Amino acid sequence: MTQDGPAQEFDYIKRCNERNIGKILQLDMQSIRIRHELEQKRRGFTMMTRLAETLAHGQGNESIFIAASKRINATLNMQRTVVLLPGKHGTFRAAIASGYSPEEEKTLAAQSMAPDPALLDPEQSVIINGTSPEEHMASLRVALRLPYLVAAPIILNNEAAAILVTGRTVEQPPFMTKLGPGDLETVKTVSAFLAALLAGRRVTEAEERIKIMLDAMPACCVLFDENFRPVDCNAATLLMFAFTDKQEFLNRFHELSPEYQANGRISAEIFIERMQKALAEGQARFDWMHRTLDGEHIPSNIVVVRAKRGDNYILAAYIQDLRERRAMHAEIVQAQMELHVAREKAEKNAQAKSEFLANMSHEFRTPLNAVMGMAHLLNADDLTGKQREYVKNVINSAELLLKIFDGMMDYSAIDAGKLVLDKTVFSPRALIRKIVESTKQQARQKALQLKIQTDPDLPDALLGDPGRLEQILAHLAGNAIKFTDRGSVSIQAKHSTAPSGTVRLDFTVADTGVGMPEELVGKLFTPFTQGDASLTRKHGGTGLGLSVSHRLVSMMGGELHCASVPGKGSSFFFHVFLEQPQARGLEQSPQTAPGAGQAESGTRSLAGMRVLLVEDNDINQMIALELLESEGVAADVAANGIEALEALKSGVYDLALMDIQMPQMDGLTATEKIRSMPEYADFPVIAMTAHASPADREASFKAGMNDHITKPIDPQLLYATLRKWDRRAAF
């Protein structure tokens, strides 16, 4: 060995020691990093355990984030932690901040940040340390005042429900390592754990909501598994079956049905069939009889619905208690029976009322016909002035009595819903002329001016009920004259085209009479009411006329109103809707009612006409014969329908005047038999009867009569009707 040998050996040993020391130090550094990462993971798991405990204590999401941010700072040796929550238009806001001063927290809360897409990617996470470029996420680092950070999204339902950001203001604080993969892995784990906590919380909340909804349902609900075992129920079910413990109910569910159902089959067999049907088809509905533990039977209707639960199915049975419904149904049936009985009773009462009114009408008109007939006959004789005045007063009083009676009958018919409007083609102008003719004498007696104003182009023919329209106008005009002592009474008529091809007629009847205060106008159309009792005493009246007129106008689709000023007069105005004959394919020439517009036949002589008078009442026979003979009409009398048929076989007549109510054979039956005789198919038969209702008139026409005039007999109307049906005019 040379002299240099020991020195070389020493150098070799020195170099070996240096290399070993470096390796030892390197191993120590690796050991420190491993221990740091293990410690980070341990702290992370400890933190997640405490967060789970926080959630278990029912804390809200915000509380969880606050606890997480504080524990991250303490556990992972971070200085600041922020939780970003979604804001508007794709931005995020710093909802939770830990490690900041109050002023910094306010500044952060006021900011909206648009994070880098990498922060929203569930497959990525971000770490920024001393080796990262300065521009990398510079805006986020500046906004959060975190130059060194680790961030990871919290993903729920494939969306970023939040972004967890934690970091330091300096890269490597004393006694700490730099941010590295271990920190990144821990933050990712914490984010995933927070997402799992929140997802679990959502599931728990959803289950709680479902339970609340089930318990809040008024209907009973029982859940069954695929083996048809009850596994859950809602509160209504326990209440229905009188249970307080759910598990007891589930255990004893099959005890809550009788052994047999109403169809005689075993309950258990039917239950299995229905549940199998629901499981196979998705739904089953059936009636069922339950029974409580106390033995009370509960009729019910059950709907079983199949629902998916994971890889399996559950069956939800909704049970409807039918006890209340059946009790209600029984009450309804009872009420319907009572209503039926009440309706029958009401119909019988209405029928009795109608029959009573019809009989009363007949019994009233028959003697009144004698009074008025005798008065007309007396008036035709040679009388002194005083006697003629007496007769005139008798006729006027009888006509007033008839008017009052007719008003009562009309009101009763309208009130019972039995008044039917006619559909006849008539001339509005002729109708107004008739009103003028019937009222001008009254106006002349009081020296009143009667003014008439009509549209120049008023339609020549309309389809409606001229009799009822005349009744309304006559009543309004008569009232106007009655309550006017000086001045004038005016009648105006105009028309306009209405929808659906109808015509609207507007009428106004105005006077310069006593008038009424406004508070009394509203009472005018109330039955049996007149504006002022003193007027009733002075002028008479029942208070029915305006009520009947008002309801007749309503039946014609219109309205009746009144405007009045005390001391200056009143105006009554109404409108009705009428059809045009051509719209119904009818002949447009108006058919004039008997007594209206008969000027062309009014002078034609009736002398030589032969009439068969069919009448059972001796006084009515005498009056009719006198009226006919005064016009040169020859008449034979038959006391009933049988005698009338015999008379027609042996005599020749131009027409027959037929009473309706007669012994042995009434006028309707007699007319039907006359119409069955070929030689009398066109023979004019005119009802002359005390039966005056629209139904009576319709019955006359249905039996085959040609016309219908009512008692008391108006001589002029009788003569006009005879002229109308005088067949001799054709020869």
Side-chain angles (χ1 to χ4, degrees):
M1 177 178 282
T2 63
Q3 189 176 2
D4 294 332
Q8 290 177 345
E9 185 177 355
F10 177 78
D11 290 338
Y12 172 76
I13 294 173
K14 181 179 179 182
R15 285 194 300 271
C16 288
N17 288 336
E18 288 177 352
R19 283 196 297 269
N20 290 334
I21 290 172
K23 289 181 179 180
I24 292 171
L25 290 175
Q26 199 173 24
L27 289 173
D28 285 343
M29 290 298 296
Q30 290 178 354
S31 175
I32 290 171
R33 279 197 300 271
I34 292 171
R35 287 200 305 271
H36 173 73
E37 291 177 3
L38 290 175
E39 180 63 18
Q40 292 286 73
K41 292 182 182 295
R42 186 190 67 77
R43 292 181 178 182
F45 286 123
T46 301
M47 180 183 66
M48 287 186 284
T49 302
R50 292 177 179 174
L51 288 176
E53 292 174 354
T54 300
L55 181 62
H57 286 88
Q59 300 296 321
N61 293 350
E62 184 175 343
S63 299
I64 294 173
F65 288 141
I66 292 174
S69 62
K70 290 181 178 180
R71 287 191 171 91
I72 287 173
N73 284 349
T75 304
L76 304 183
N77 295 320
M78 298 297 180
Q79 294 176 312
R80 291 181 172 179
T81 300
V82 180
V83 178
L84 303 178
L85 297 181
K88 297 180 179 179
H89 310 299
T91 62
F92 279 71
R93 58 184 181 84
I96 308 298
S98 179
Y100 293 87
S101 66
E103 291 76 12
E104 289 175 325
E105 288 182 7
K106 290 182 181 179
T107 303
L108 283 175
Q111 297 182 39
S112 293
M113 289 165 269
D116 189 280
L119 291 174
L120 306 178
D121 189 346
E123 302 299 328
Q124 297 189 37
S125 53
V126 175
I127 182 170
I128 299 176
N129 52 29
T131 62
S132 303
E134 291 186 5
E135 66 276 6
H136 186 44
M137 296 191 185
S139 60
L140 180 66
R141 293 157 68 183
V142 171
L144 299 181
R145 302 181 184 182
L146 273 177
Y148 309 101
L149 57 84
V150 180
I154 300 174
I155 303 299
L156 279 179
N157 298 328
N158 297 321
E159 293 183 357
I163 300 174
L164 178 62
V165 183
T166 184
R168 301 168 181 164
T169 56
V170 294
E171 184 177 10
Q172 187 175 8
F175 308 107
M176 295 184 187
T177 60
K178 294 181 180 180
L179 296 179
D183 299 295
L184 180 60
E185 188 66 28
T186 302
V187 171
K188 288 176 62 177
T189 303
V190 171
S191 296
F193 180 71
L194 288 174
L197 285 179
L198 296 178
R201 183 177 182 82
R202 284 190 178 182
V203 171
T204 302
E205 290 175 349
E207 291 177 348
E208 289 177 352
R209 286 194 297 270
I210 292 173
K211 185 179 184 303
I212 291 172
M213 285 191 292
L214 283 175
D215 286 340
M217 286 176 57
C220 302
C221 180
V222 182
L223 300 181
F224 297 86
D225 62 17
E226 289 182 316
N227 296 316
F228 313 143
R229 291 175 301 202
V231 294
D232 202 353
C233 69
N234 65 349
T237 305
L238 300 179
L239 182 63
M240 173 177 167
F241 290 97
F243 277 85
T244 56
D245 182 73
K246 180 184 293 188
Q247 192 57 49
E248 182 186 3
F249 167 79
L250 298 175
N251 293 338
R252 306 186 69 176
F253 174 77
H254 292 290
E255 299 178 32
L256 300 175
S257 296
E259 184 177 359
Y260 296 94
Q261 287 297 305
N263 58 6
R265 295 187 59 194
I266 299 174
S267 296
E269 293 179 356
I270 301 177
F271 174 78
I272 296 297
E273 287 180 5
R274 299 295 187 268
M275 299 300 277
Q276 288 175 339
K277 183 177 188 303
L279 187 61
E281 300 178 8
Q283 181 175 326
R285 178 188 291 271
F286 52 93
D287 289 330
W288 193 261
M289 181 61 72
H290 283 290
R291 184 182 61 193
T292 66
L293 296 180
D294 294 334
E296 181 185 1
H297 285 78
I298 304 177
S300 60
N301 180 263
I302 302 177
V303 178
V304 183
V305 180
R306 182 186 66 196
K308 190 75 172 175
R309 185 180 185 184
D311 296 331
N312 300 315
Y313 288 107
I314 62 169
L315 297 172
Y318 298 95
I319 305 172
Q320 183 179 15
D321 186 347
L322 298 181
R323 286 176 296 183
E324 184 176 348
R325 176 185 289 185
R326 292 191 177 181
M328 186 181 298
H329 178 71
E331 291 178 2
I332 291 174
V333 171
Q334 180 64 27
Q336 288 176 338
M337 292 178 60
E338 294 175 357
L339 181 62
H340 179 71
V341 172
R343 184 185 294 112
E344 285 187 340
K345 184 177 180 181
E347 289 173 352
K348 289 180 181 178
N349 290 339
Q351 181 64 27
K353 178 181 177 182
S354 298
E355 292 175 358
F356 170 75
L357 291 174
N359 291 332
M360 188 174 70
S361 174
H362 183 272
E363 297 304 317
F364 176 83
R365 288 174 179 275
T366 298
L368 189 61
N369 181 59
V371 173
M372 295 184 70
M374 290 296 183
H376 283 299
L377 294 177
L378 278 174
N379 198 39
D381 286 346
D382 294 331
L383 301 175
T384 65
K386 192 172 185 180
Q387 290 171 332
R388 196 169 297 282
E389 186 67 24
Y390 290 161
V391 172
K392 179 181 177 182
N393 288 337
V394 170
I395 293 174
N396 289 340
S397 297
E399 288 177 346
L400 178 59
L401 184 61
L402 180 61
K403 186 176 180 181
I404 293 172
F405 183 78
D406 284 342
M408 294 174 62
M409 296 299 291
D410 283 342
Y411 177 79
S412 296
I414 294 173
D415 193 52
K418 293 190 175 183
L419 192 146
V420 180
L421 297 176
D422 287 340
K423 291 286 187 180
T424 305
V425 179
F426 71 98
S427 167
R429 292 184 185 278
L431 181 67
I432 294 172
R433 285 197 300 268
K434 185 177 180 182
I435 298 297
V436 172
E437 288 297 321
S438 65
T439 56
K440 66 180 181 180
Q441 182 62 28
Q442 294 174 270
R444 188 180 296 117
Q445 290 174 353
K446 299 183 73 172
L448 299 176
Q449 186 179 4
L450 189 59
K451 301 177 181 179
I452 307 298
Q453 182 180 351
T454 60
D455 277 354
D457 56 347
L458 200 65
D460 293 327
L462 290 174
L463 184 65
D465 191 331
R468 294 301 179 182
L469 195 55
E470 176 188 340
Q471 178 181 343
I472 298 166
L473 285 170
H475 181 77
L476 295 179
N479 273 0
I481 294 172
K482 181 168 65 173
F483 291 103
T484 303
D485 294 328
R486 63 177 63 87
S488 63
V489 171
S490 64
I491 302 175
Q492 298 180 2
K494 58 182 180 178
H495 82 289
S496 59
T497 302
S500 303
T502 59
V503 174
R504 169 173 167 155
L505 286 185
D506 286 86
F507 295 94
T508 302
V509 179
D511 62 62
T512 58
V514 294
M516 293 171 288
E518 184 176 355
E519 60 269 18
L520 297 182
V521 172
K523 301 179 181 180
L524 289 178
F525 305 121
T526 303
F528 310 105
T529 302
Q530 199 169 35
D532 186 353
S534 64
L535 295 178
T536 305
R537 289 192 296 270
K538 180 179 179 181
H539 299 281
T542 62
L544 272 179
L546 284 176
S547 175
V548 171
S549 297
H550 184 266
R551 297 178 76 168
L552 287 174
V553 169
S554 296
M555 292 177 66
M556 297 182 189
E559 295 178 351
L560 173 60
H561 299 284
C562 174
S564 186
V565 178
K568 294 187 177 181
S570 303
S571 294
F572 287 83
F573 42 94
F574 70 94
H575 68 272
V576 296
F577 292 96
L578 303 172
E579 295 182 62
Q580 301 186 63
Q582 60 268 31
R584 296 279 294 271
L586 300 175
E587 185 179 339
Q588 296 188 41
S589 56
Q591 300 176 5
T592 308
Q598 296 286 345
E600 71 282 357
S601 61
T603 57
R604 187 189 311 148
S605 174
L606 295 175
M609 176 180 282
R610 289 185 55 79
V611 171
L612 176 61
L613 175 64
V614 188
E615 170 65 62
D616 65 315
N617 185 277
D618 294 339
I619 298 177
N620 288 341
Q621 289 177 2
M622 181 183 68
I623 294 170
L625 288 173
E626 289 285 348
L627 292 174
L628 292 172
E629 290 174 2
S630 68
E631 291 292 314
V633 177
D636 292 335
V637 176
N640 54 57
I642 295 176
E643 292 183 10
L645 294 175
E646 292 298 324
L648 288 175
K649 291 179 182 178
S650 58
V652 179
Y653 301 98
D654 296 307
L655 59 79
L657 294 173
M658 184 76 70
D659 190 15
I660 300 296
Q661 186 171 323
M662 296 179 294
Q664 297 185 14
M665 181 183 289
D666 61 69
L668 298 177
T669 304
T671 303
E672 290 173 351
K673 290 185 176 295
I674 291 172
R675 290 290 176 246
S676 67
M677 303 163 63
E679 64 271 27
Y680 288 103
D682 298 323
F683 180 69
V685 179
I686 300 167
M688 188 169 69
T689 174
H691 292 284
S693 71
D696 294 327
R697 184 180 180 87
E698 182 179 349
S700 297
F701 290 131
K702 186 176 181 180
M705 297 188 185
N706 300 88
D707 217 327
H708 186 105
I709 58 178
T710 57
K711 300 171 183 176
I713 299 172
D714 180 349
Q716 298 308 315
L717 178 58
L718 172 63
Y719 300 147
T721 305
L722 292 176
R723 291 187 180 97
K724 176 183 177 182
W725 297 103
D726 186 359
R727 295 187 303 171
R728 299 175 307 157
F731 299 101

